Amino acid sequence: MMIGNFPYIVAMLLVAIGIYALLFKRNLIKLVIGISLVETGVNLFLVTLGYRTAGIAPIYTYAPNAKPMVLPTPQALTLTSIVIGLATTALLLSFVVFIYRHYGTLNVREIKELRG
Amino acid sequence: MNPLSFHAPVLLIAIPLLGAFAVPLIGRLGAHLRRIFTGLIALLTTACAGLVAATVFSAGTPITYVLGGRLTLPSGMNFPIRIILEVDGMSTFMVILTALILVTAVFYSFSYWRRRSGGTMYDSLLFLLGAGIFGMELTGDMFNFFVFLEITSIAACGLIGFRVWQGRSQEAAFKTMALYTLSGLFVLLAIGLLYGKYDGLNIAYLAAHIGSGLVDRIALGLLLVALAMKAGVVPMHMWAPDAYGEAPAPISAVLVANSQASLYGLFRVLFTLYGLAISVTTLGWIMIVLALLTIFIGVTMALIQSDIKRLIAYGAVSQIGYMLLGVGVGLATSAGQPDYGLVAMQGGIFHMINDAACVGLLFLAAGVIIRAAGTRNLNMMGGLAHDMRWTAMFFMIGALALAGIPPFNGFASKLMIYESTFRYSPILAVIAILGSILLLAVFLKVFQAAFLGPRTISPIERPSRLMLASMGVLALVVIAFGLFPGFFVHTIVGPAAKALWLGRDAYIGAVMGG
């Protein structure tokens, strides 16, 4: 099946939407969602990078099949990146919880002890 | 080579990492034992850093350490994806800097947390941050660099937001974490682009093949923005004053080392990964403009602060500008390689360790001042010098060094930057000197406000001996580097500048052979 550059376009679109959310949204939760979108876009980009049309899973014992294999390295990178993403999202959300407890709001405009 | 110095690079990452995960277990056995263990790990890490330095300086060439299985380097390289640690003069310089700040921060922290016991988790995160910074400085692999970058991000933000009972620290931690994560993802995207084009992640392998196509340029742009953001370069500095200002005092000092590790990453990308494959003059001028902006904005924002830690934080931001200025001039002239270009590089790099020492000293002193005065507002302090002579003296040393007054270390490195940038373009030196003079005015105001005048408040809490000793170590470094700049430039700064300026082929050769 030919899908060409379509996955790359989707990945970059996800990154762009995430950056848009980071720049223009005021709700802290939406900022975290924006970061997660960027991360998903980057992960999708990495997986797409290693994809070969009609490729098989990169396991050593499958090698004699003479079929093209999907590249294993980008998958390893993506796996690591997903784990790191989980940690950063959890940490960000826990900061949001504490901010809400202290200020009673999630609006960035209303949380402004640190200015100037 | 004896086995200990052979394994020193990986031990330097492994020991703080072990410390980070063992501290919670040891902590169960009692607070006293935990302190002994924490101190031991900090000292072992420092010893390891010394060992790495001794090994690299005696070898004279970059040394490599291959993780996972035997692989005959440099000639028999068949898997460019293997994880390799590669240590050259610049990495060694950064390791010395980080070890110095980390060990003082650990010992200062012992008595810093006496009343509010944060204890186990704090020590754990501090070692994790240390391991991440060392990893960034030692790795020879792009993806590994990203992983260590994220480790420092998570650990640093956990520490910035450590005082969960303060809303301000949570706000700073969220902001910093959001920007750190974004910069980490940009780095990952750039690594993906480079991997897609060259099928490799090893820095030396990539450097040997890198071209100047569109993909390379996009990757370079992403790396540049991401690492400059994490180093706190204006106009991407928004997180820096919040993070430095709201973090506990010893953490602010370590955060400075963390920012400088990102700056090291930036230099590594520009000089080693890309080298002359890119237009060095254009990129050098971009760095110079960013540097001047950073100096100017940092100093002017420091002028209007009344919160002591936030003021020092803006001072720290402005100092990043001086390092960028020196190395930017070095980059711009790296094609022709005139003498003053090397001096500019040396000045910029020398300023990194000087800045870490004197800003670290100021942050540690500010922690003591805030404890004693019970406030961070400069307008409500006064007369602290009557009761805290040593702290007053250490603060004065730090402030004068930061402003570049002889005989302290800031003068030595700034003079090298002034002289060499003047040769390149006089206006640069004029702006840099102006920044320093303003900074002197700012810090004299702080000193006057906090320490001089009649005894209006009596100190709530005096600094412990351990806190004074930690500050004393940094003050000694500040004075020693100021009195004997020639010796230190020759022994540690020279090899670092040479590794970036001329060492690209040696760096590639250590892995790829030839």
Side-chain angles (χ1 to χ4, degrees):
Chain A
M1 191 177 70
M2 277 297 293
I3 43 174
N5 286 333
F6 187 64
Y8 291 111
I9 297 168
V10 173
M12 288 306 121
L13 213 60
L14 277 173
V15 172
I17 295 171
I19 291 175
Y20 169 82
L22 276 177
L23 289 177
F24 296 109
K25 291 293 168 188
R26 291 180 205 167
N27 186 311
L28 288 177
I29 299 281
K30 287 184 184 167
L31 294 184
V32 179
I33 293 174
I35 289 174
S36 288
L37 277 173
V38 178
E39 195 185 296
T40 315
V42 175
N43 286 342
L44 188 62
F45 172 74
L46 285 176
V47 170
T48 314
L49 212 59
Y51 183 73
R52 295 288 173 269
T53 312
I56 53 167
I59 298 169
Y60 185 69
T61 44
Y62 290 173
N65 280 351
K67 276 186 180 173
M69 270 188 180
V70 181
L71 296 186
T73 315
Q75 298 192 352
L77 304 190
T78 314
L79 206 60
T80 317
S81 157
I82 289 171
V83 174
I84 291 171
L86 179 74
T88 51
T89 312
L91 192 58
L92 277 169
L93 286 174
S94 61
F95 289 141
V96 173
V97 170
F98 278 115
I99 289 174
Y100 187 75
R101 278 193 199 155
H102 282 288
Y103 298 102
T105 176
L106 288 176
N107 190 333
V108 200
R109 297 284 160 89
E110 290 170 25
I111 307 163
K112 46 185 172 189
E113 267 196 76
L114 301 173
R115 283 287 150 90
Chain B
M1 195 188 288
N2 68 49
L4 201 58
S5 35
F6 177 74
H7 291 292
V10 78
L11 283 178
L12 188 52
I13 302 171
I15 289 175
L17 207 57
L18 171 82
F21 291 104
V23 158
L25 292 175
I26 306 275
R28 295 235 152 213
L29 302 175
H32 193 62
L33 205 63
R34 194 194 75 224
R35 284 186 175 202
I36 295 173
F37 180 73
T38 314
L40 201 68
I41 291 282
L43 290 177
L44 266 178
T45 311
T46 314
C48 241
L51 204 58
V52 168
T55 315
V56 174
F57 288 146
S58 64
T61 52
I63 57 169
T64 51
Y65 185 88
V66 184
L67 291 160
R70 283 187 180 279
L71 183 74
T72 43
L73 281 174
S75 52
M77 168 126 179
N78 44 7
F79 283 112
I81 301 161
R82 195 171 286 263
I83 292 176
I84 290 175
L85 301 182
E86 185 162 8
V87 196
D88 68 355
M90 187 64 201
S91 316
T92 315
F93 175 79
M94 294 305 297
V95 161
I96 295 171
L97 184 162
T98 312
L100 171 72
I101 298 298
L102 190 67
V103 75
T104 28
V106 166
F107 282 102
Y108 181 93
S109 301
F110 278 164
S111 35
Y112 186 76
W113 290 106
R114 195 179 291 148
R115 279 194 299 166
R116 287 267 194 186
S117 62
T120 315
M121 288 303 134
Y122 174 85
D123 290 344
S124 186
L125 282 171
L126 183 51
F127 282 131
L128 198 61
L129 179 57
I133 299 176
F134 284 128
M136 279 169 76
E137 289 159 0
L138 294 176
T139 186
D141 182 278
M142 282 307 276
F143 188 71
N144 212 352
F145 181 80
F146 162 75
V147 172
F148 284 121
L149 187 87
E150 288 288 358
I151 290 176
T152 61
S153 298
I154 292 168
C157 291
L159 287 166
I160 295 166
F162 193 77
R163 289 188 275 213
V164 288
W165 55 90
Q166 290 179 349
R168 296 158 60 98
S169 70
Q170 300 306 303
E171 195 185 333
F174 180 86
K175 207 191 250 183
T176 311
M177 190 70 214
L179 287 170
Y180 274 7
T181 310
L182 195 65
S183 81
L185 289 170
F186 279 1
V187 170
L188 185 61
L189 196 58
I191 292 169
L193 286 169
L194 289 177
Y195 179 80
K197 189 164 180 190
Y198 299 108
D199 279 339
L201 292 168
N202 188 294
I203 295 177
Y205 173 84
L206 285 173
H209 292 85
I210 209 139
S212 54
L214 182 65
V215 174
D216 305 281
R217 280 161 193 266
I218 295 173
L220 176 65
L222 284 169
L223 285 170
L224 207 65
V225 170
L227 292 171
M229 193 192 285
K230 204 163 176 244
V233 175
V234 173
M236 295 159 286
H237 68 292
M238 307 79 78
W239 63 271
D242 297 352
Y244 293 158
E246 298 308 318
I251 298 308
S252 305
V254 182
L255 279 177
V256 173
N258 185 24
S259 298
Q260 293 184 347
S262 299
L263 210 57
Y264 157 83
L266 185 65
F267 297 160
R268 179 64 79 204
V269 165
L270 286 171
F271 285 92
T272 307
L273 186 57
Y274 281 87
L276 294 176
I278 43 169
S279 164
V280 283
T281 320
T282 317
L283 268 167
W285 271 102
I286 291 175
M287 275 174 79
I288 291 168
V289 170
L290 287 179
L292 294 181
L293 260 178
T294 310
I295 294 173
F296 184 73
I297 302 278
V299 172
T300 43
M301 290 302 287
L303 268 173
I304 58 170
Q305 300 300 321
S306 59
D307 176 330
I308 181 166
K309 276 213 58 205
R310 212 169 160 74
L311 189 148
I312 301 171
Y314 273 111
V317 169
S318 74
Q319 297 307 297
I320 296 280
Y322 287 92
M323 304 160 206
L324 264 187
L325 182 62
V327 180
V329 168
L331 184 69
T333 57
S334 68
Q337 302 202 328
D339 287 340
Y340 67 85
L342 184 60
V343 177
M345 295 275 300
Q346 286 175 342
I349 292 168
F350 192 24
H351 199 62
M352 291 174 98
I353 199 162
N354 291 343
D355 168 70
C358 67
V359 172
L361 179 59
L362 282 174
F363 275 129
L364 296 188
V368 172
I369 295 168
I370 293 167
R371 281 289 164 87
T375 173
R376 301 160 51 134
N377 192 335
L378 282 167
N379 301 325
M380 293 163 75
M381 296 177 187
L384 286 171
H386 293 287
D387 296 299
M388 305 197 305
R389 293 201 178 80
W390 282 101
T391 312
M393 195 183 80
F394 290 146
F395 191 89
M396 195 67 183
I397 290 173
L400 290 179
L402 194 68
I405 303 296
F408 301 109
N409 62 1
F411 172 74
S413 49
K414 279 186 178 174
L415 188 66
M416 288 168 79
I417 297 172
Y418 299 153
E419 281 179 347
S420 52
T421 52
F422 187 81
R423 290 274 302 277
Y424 188 61
S425 172
I427 188 78
L428 303 180
V430 171
I431 296 175
I433 293 174
L434 204 65
S436 277
I437 294 171
L438 280 173
L439 211 57
L440 181 65
V442 172
F443 276 95
L444 284 180
K445 186 190 86 178
V446 177
F447 190 78
Q448 195 264 341
F451 289 106
L452 304 182
R455 184 180 295 179
T456 50
I457 43 173
S458 63
I460 298 169
E461 196 181 326
R462 285 162 192 278
S464 70
R465 289 219 181 93
L466 206 52
M467 284 165 134
L468 285 177
S470 315
M471 289 191 281
V473 169
L474 285 181
L476 271 182
V477 170
V478 167
I479 294 170
F481 279 31
L483 288 180
F484 310 105
F487 173 74
F488 290 104
V489 167
H490 181 71
T491 47
I492 60 173
V493 179
K498 228 180 103 196
L500 284 182
W501 177 257
L502 298 167
R504 188 165 184 261
D505 293 336
Y507 193 91
I508 295 171
V511 173
M512 304 294 293

